Coordinates of all heavy atoms in Angstrom, one line a residue:
I114 N 33.4 -19.5 -74.0 CA 33.0 -19.7 -72.6 C 31.9 -20.8 -72.5 O 31.0 -20.9 -73.3 CB 32.4 -18.3 -72.0 CG1 33.4 -17.3 -72.2 CG2 32.0 -18.6 -70.6 CD1 34.7 -17.4 -71.5
H115 N 32.0 -21.7 -71.6 CA 31.1 -22.8 -71.4 C 30.0 -22.3 -70.5 O 30.2 -21.8 -69.5 CB 31.8 -24.0 -70.7 CG 30.9 -25.2 -70.5 ND1 30.5 -26.0 -71.5 CD2 30.3 -25.6 -69.4 CE1 29.6 -26.8 -71.0 NE2 29.5 -26.6 -69.7
H116 N 28.8 -22.5 -71.1 CA 27.6 -22.1 -70.2 C 26.9 -23.4 -69.8 O 26.8 -24.3 -70.6 CB 26.7 -21.2 -71.1 CG 27.3 -19.8 -71.4 ND1 27.4 -18.9 -70.4 CD2 28.0 -19.4 -72.5 CE1 28.0 -17.8 -71.0 NE2 28.4 -18.1 -72.2
D125 N 39.2 -24.9 -71.7 CA 39.1 -23.7 -70.8 C 40.4 -22.9 -71.0 O 41.2 -23.2 -72.1 CB 39.0 -24.2 -69.4 CG 40.2 -25.0 -69.0 OD1 41.2 -25.1 -69.7 OD2 40.2 -25.7 -67.9
A131 N 37.1 -28.5 -70.8 CA 36.2 -27.7 -69.8 C 35.1 -28.6 -69.4 O 34.5 -29.3 -70.3 CB 35.7 -26.4 -70.4
T132 N 34.9 -28.8 -68.1 CA 33.8 -29.6 -67.6 C 33.1 -28.8 -66.6 O 33.5 -27.8 -66.0 CB 34.4 -30.9 -66.9 OG1 35.2 -30.5 -65.8 CG2 35.1 -31.8 -67.8
R133 N 31.8 -29.1 -66.3 CA 30.9 -28.4 -65.5 C 31.1 -28.9 -64.1 O 30.9 -30.1 -63.8 CB 29.5 -28.5 -66.0 CG 28.5 -27.7 -65.0 CD 27.4 -27.2 -65.8 NE 26.7 -26.2 -65.0 CZ 25.5 -26.4 -64.5 NH1 24.9 -27.5 -64.8 NH2 25.0 -25.5 -63.7
D134 N 31.2 -27.9 -63.2 CA 31.2 -28.3 -61.7 C 29.9 -28.0 -61.2 O 29.4 -26.9 -61.2 CB 32.3 -27.4 -61.1 CG 32.3 -27.6 -59.5 OD1 31.5 -28.3 -59.0 OD2 33.2 -27.1 -58.9
Y137 N 29.3 -25.5 -58.3 CA 29.7 -24.1 -58.5 C 28.9 -23.5 -59.6 O 28.5 -22.4 -59.5 CB 31.2 -24.1 -58.9 CG 31.7 -22.6 -59.3 CD1 31.7 -21.6 -58.5 CD2 32.0 -22.5 -60.7 CE1 32.1 -20.3 -58.9 CE2 32.3 -21.2 -61.1 CZ 32.4 -20.1 -60.2 OH 32.8 -18.9 -60.7
G138 N 28.5 -24.3 -60.7 CA 27.8 -23.7 -61.8 C 28.8 -23.1 -62.9 O 28.2 -22.6 -63.9
G139 N 30.0 -23.2 -62.7 CA 31.0 -22.6 -63.7 C 31.7 -23.8 -64.4 O 31.2 -24.9 -64.5
T140 N 32.8 -23.5 -64.8 CA 33.6 -24.6 -65.4 C 34.9 -24.8 -64.6 O 35.3 -23.9 -63.9 CB 34.0 -24.3 -66.9 OG1 34.8 -23.0 -66.9 CG2 32.8 -24.1 -67.8
T141 N 35.4 -26.0 -64.7 CA 36.6 -26.3 -64.0 C 37.4 -27.4 -64.7 O 36.8 -28.2 -65.4 CB 36.4 -26.8 -62.6 OG1 37.6 -27.0 -61.9 CG2 35.5 -28.0 -62.5
N142 N 38.7 -27.3 -64.6 CA 39.5 -28.3 -65.2 C 40.4 -29.0 -64.1 O 41.3 -29.7 -64.4 CB 40.4 -27.8 -66.3 CG 41.4 -26.8 -65.8 OD1 41.4 -26.5 -64.6 ND2 42.3 -26.5 -66.7
I146 N 40.8 -22.8 -61.8 CA 40.5 -21.6 -62.6 C 39.0 -21.6 -62.9 O 38.4 -22.5 -63.1 CB 41.3 -21.7 -63.9 CG1 42.7 -21.5 -63.5 CG2 40.8 -20.6 -64.8 CD1 43.6 -21.7 -64.8

Side-chain angles (χ1 to χ4, degrees):
I114 304 295
H115 180 76
H116 293 283
D125 62 11
T132 58
R133 180 147 191 249
D134 179 352
Y137 171 70
T140 58
T141 181
N142 67 352
I146 294 178

